[in-house]
Amino acid sequence: MKKTVKGRWRLAVALGVAATLGVSGCGLNEDNSSSSDSSSGSSVLRIGTTTDVSNFNPLQSLSKTDSWILNAMYPHLLRIDESAKKAPELAKEYRYEDDGKTAVFILRDDFKWTDGKPVVAEDVKFSAEQIMKYKLGNVAAKLTWVESIEAPDATTVKFRLSQPYAPFAEGVGFWMSIVPKHVFETAGDLSKFPNDSNWVGAGPFVLESMTKGQRYVMKRNENYPLAPGGKAAVSQVEYRVYPDVNTMMLALRNGDIDMMGTPVPVSAAKTFEGDSKIKMEKVGALGFAHLTYNMKNKQLADQQVRQALSMSVDTKSIISAVLQGDGQQMAGPISPIFSDYDNTEIQPYPFDPAGAKAKLTAAGYKDGNGDGFFDELTFGVACDQSNANITRVVQLFRESAAQAGIKLENECVERNTFLARTKNGEYDIDASQWGVFDNPMDQLRSTYLSSNPGGINYNLLESPEMDRLINDAAGTTDPEAFKTKIKNIDKVVHEQAYLTPLYVENFQFAYNASKFTGFAPSPSDLLGMVTAYSLAQVKPAS
């Protein structure tokens, strides 16, 4: 006899929404005619970005820049709203049955692909099965316990699980892109499918053309039920590519673009003061900045070295210098935004370069040539050079680590190169910022589970202890026991110093309020102002 788990497992029917979205844009010498033309009933929203799309396959892509474009095209079952809570999108509700071993999604019946075919349960089933088959992207790890998927009718999808997993529906619902089965099933091996032309989508906008290094032009989907009136008020979204944030900021001031897709660096926020046209919108964070250590590096595999590096980071000075104090220091890998799971008993490693040097000396490391640096402890620090805050973090980290006798080299590069090197483990220390973690359990599984297929285990960690702790917590349905186990994992990661958490920050996004209004921002730099749902709500100010 089946039991339906109600209450906290059920998401009330509400207006749904589309997920994350669009990136990239146009060259620096484009036609800068008005972005809004009310006389013709059309309007063009021009958004600045600093990077190109690297992968057009929404089932496989992990990049922030890819997601901006792809999530405007391919719907998700759920989204995160302005208050960081899950809200309906393609799915209007979900529930658990069979004592939590079956997750059931009920879909809306008014989504259509741009070729006219309806979005149905078979599309959801196909998308999930292909991710599982080819171990695609970070969603593959979230589908680990799926034994089978059923689509008994056009609006019902059932995921049969091998065991209960509390955040399953919310994790899969938020992260998994839904693709058109009738298009993707003809592509064969989807791990090799580029999906770089003839796009068919069901989001508020669909990619129409692109010029790499210059712009990505998206046309309006004339049938998008989550937009007022059934379609977006903006007829076209154009992402323009700029070489750096400073050039993008100048483009916004000059009217060449209408919004910056990336946050405005804290140090540059005053640039827009006094400009009556430009509005700054502040949103919170679902991720955090951090340093991650490659466990395949012989020296970094040494716990003493990782702890010494953590003691060589002057996090308080970083928050002061980089964020002008507008940030919160972290101790473990769980953000304070998840207050039920954040282990407040652990404290950040103190900034103590002398203590770090003593620790390394006791561990047997030596400065044989007397140059002030330990002989074997020279590491490269990789980062995305388009992230002004993180590049500044790397600079400050190099300076403070030198006091501990650790020599660091700046290896910040163009974003897509950085992402490729990180994914392939071609780095020593990764300095970066997670964009979105929607729940602690999925976060820990994605980042530390050694068997994680296609996730973000950038440590390249293979730890039987961590695997056991994570898998044990994942199958725990008692809420209090679950919290205790998450906090224990938090403590282990901190003691092992697999990463050095830096800070949680607020983000500021700039746009031309004299031309457009109605944005619905969501927390994090990944979501920000340019989620699919937000763009579907935007309208010309006039």
Side-chain angles (χ1 to χ4, degrees):
M1 179 104 179
K2 294 182 179 180
K3 294 182 180 179
T4 299
V5 183
K6 299 181 179 180
R8 63 190 178 95
W9 296 122
R10 189 176 182 89
L11 186 63
V13 178
L15 247 191
V17 154
T20 349
L21 71 78
V23 0
S24 275
C26 170
L28 303 181
N29 298 310
E30 296 291 336
D31 175 17
N32 293 320
S33 57
S34 173
S35 60
S36 177
D37 184 356
S38 58
S39 62
S40 64
S42 63
S43 58
V44 179
L45 174 64
R46 299 163 302 178
I47 304 173
T49 184
T50 57
T51 51
D52 278 291
V53 175
S54 62
N55 188 340
F56 290 95
N57 186 337
L59 302 183
Q60 191 170 20
S61 174
L62 289 175
S63 169
K64 173 195 301 185
T65 54
D66 300 358
S67 71
W68 286 358
I69 289 285
L70 300 176
N71 290 334
M73 299 167 61
Y74 302 101
H76 291 210
L77 293 166
L78 306 172
R79 69 179 180 98
I80 288 181
D81 66 14
E82 296 90 329
S83 59
K85 298 184 182 300
K86 296 292 169 53
E89 188 176 325
L90 176 59
K92 61 182 182 180
E93 64 177 88
Y94 73 83
R95 64 178 182 270
Y96 283 87
E97 298 176 345
D98 300 334
D99 295 322
K101 293 181 66 175
T102 299
V104 182
F105 289 93
I106 306 300
L107 311 184
R108 295 175 64 113
D109 61 4
D110 51 1
F111 270 72
K112 290 184 179 180
W113 300 108
T114 47
D115 61 5
K117 295 183 180 296
V119 180
V120 294
E122 282 293 340
D123 294 314
V124 179
K125 180 176 183 290
F126 171 81
S127 300
E129 289 178 340
Q130 295 305 299
I131 291 171
M132 294 166 61
K133 178 178 180 179
Y134 295 106
K135 296 179 171 58
L136 302 177
N138 67 340
V139 178
K142 303 180 191 303
L143 295 168
T144 299
W145 291 287
V146 174
E147 293 188 328
S148 64
I149 308 172
E150 302 170 11
D153 57 56
T155 58
T156 305
V157 185
K158 295 186 176 184
F159 291 83
R160 305 287 188 185
L161 311 180
S162 60
Q163 66 182 57
Y165 180 53
F168 173 82
E170 289 198 356
V172 171
F174 171 68
W175 286 101
M176 186 173 70
S177 296
I178 309 304
V179 300
K181 177 182 178 181
H182 62 283
V183 174
F184 277 61
E185 69 180 348
T186 64
D189 184 347
L190 290 188
S191 68
K192 301 177 181 178
F193 179 42
N195 190 40
D196 55 2
S197 62
N198 302 317
W199 296 281
V200 175
F205 296 93
V206 177
L207 194 60
E208 184 175 38
S209 65
M210 64 170 178
T211 304
K212 190 172 183 179
Q214 294 187 19
R215 67 177 180 175
Y216 296 77
V217 178
M218 305 190 78
K219 65 179 180 180
R220 176 173 59 200
N221 180 355
E222 297 301 313
N223 178 70
Y224 185 67
L226 301 184
K231 65 180 180 181
V234 173
S235 60
Q236 182 175 297
V237 172
E238 179 182 306
Y239 289 89
R240 296 189 173 192
V241 181
Y242 291 91
D244 52 60
V245 173
N246 290 331
T247 308
M248 192 199 311
M249 291 173 62
L250 179 62
L252 179 61
R253 287 199 301 271
N254 291 342
D256 297 335
I257 57 175
D258 307 303
M259 181 172 63
M260 293 175 57
T262 55
V264 178
V266 175
S267 59
K270 291 184 178 180
T271 302
F272 296 115
E273 288 184 359
D275 191 328
S276 60
K277 302 186 302 297
I278 306 301
K279 181 177 180 180
M280 301 287 287
E281 188 89 29
K282 180 177 283 191
V283 303
L286 289 173
F288 57 90
H290 61 95
L291 302 168
T292 295
Y293 306 112
N294 188 337
M295 296 291 288
K296 299 301 182 183
N297 180 294
K298 180 181 178 181
Q299 283 72 39
L300 292 173
D302 184 345
Q303 180 185 12
Q304 301 299 313
V305 173
R306 299 193 304 273
Q307 289 180 340
L309 282 162
S310 295
M311 295 166 64
S312 304
V313 183
D314 191 352
T315 306
K316 291 181 179 179
S317 292
I318 286 174
I319 292 173
S320 177
V322 176
L323 304 180
Q324 297 184 8
D326 190 14
Q328 181 176 356
Q329 186 175 7
M330 292 177 57
I334 304 299
S335 170
I337 196 172
F338 302 113
S339 58
D340 287 344
Y341 305 98
D342 180 28
N343 190 338
T344 56
E345 294 182 1
I346 62 177
Q347 297 298 316
Y349 283 90
F351 175 54
D352 183 6
K357 182 176 286 190
K359 177 183 285 287
L360 293 170
T361 300
Y365 294 94
K366 299 178 181 180
D367 175 11
N369 58 12
D371 65 352
F373 294 101
F374 290 102
D375 297 339
E376 299 178 59
L377 302 183
T378 297
F379 305 111
V381 184
C383 85
D384 168 15
Q385 65 184 14
S386 69
N387 188 320
N389 287 348
I390 295 298
T391 55
R392 177 66 171 143
V393 166
V394 172
Q395 177 185 346
L396 295 172
F397 182 28
R398 289 180 64 199
E399 295 170 359
S400 61
Q403 300 177 43
I406 303 172
K407 187 175 184 178
L408 302 179
E409 298 175 347
N410 187 325
E411 295 183 352
C412 295
V413 293
E414 179 272 333
R415 179 171 178 77
N416 287 331
T417 302
F418 163 70
L419 291 171
R421 291 180 181 176
T422 302
K423 183 178 180 181
N424 295 329
E426 299 170 355
Y427 71 95
D428 297 325
I429 301 174
D430 169 303
S432 57
Q433 188 159 315
W434 299 125
V436 173
F437 284 127
D438 67 307
N439 70 76
M441 188 69 257
D442 278 349
Q443 170 191 337
L444 294 171
R445 294 191 70 249
S446 294
T447 50
Y448 298 113
L449 194 65
S450 62
S451 62
N452 180 5
I456 48 178
N457 181 357
Y458 293 157
N459 280 109
L460 304 180
L461 178 66
E462 296 181 12
S463 167
E465 178 194 16
M466 284 295 293
D467 289 351
R468 179 183 61 78
L469 292 173
I470 290 171
N471 288 327
D472 177 55
T476 301
T477 56
D478 178 76
E480 294 306 314
F482 181 70
K483 292 176 186 177
T484 298
K485 291 179 179 181
I486 293 296
K487 289 181 179 181
N488 182 52
I489 297 173
D490 197 0
K491 180 180 179 181
V492 171
V493 172
H494 175 263
E495 291 175 346
Q496 288 292 328
Y498 291 134
L499 87 165
T500 302
L502 296 175
Y503 55 74
V504 178
E505 68 172 307
N506 291 318
F507 301 103
Q508 295 192 81
F509 294 89
Y511 66 98
N512 191 330
S514 71
K515 291 186 177 180
F516 292 97
T517 186
F519 294 94
S522 293
S524 94
D525 62 327
L526 172 63
L527 304 176
M529 304 287 281
V530 292
T531 65
Y533 182 73
S534 179
L535 293 188
Q537 314 308 308
V538 174
K539 58 185 178 181
S542 58

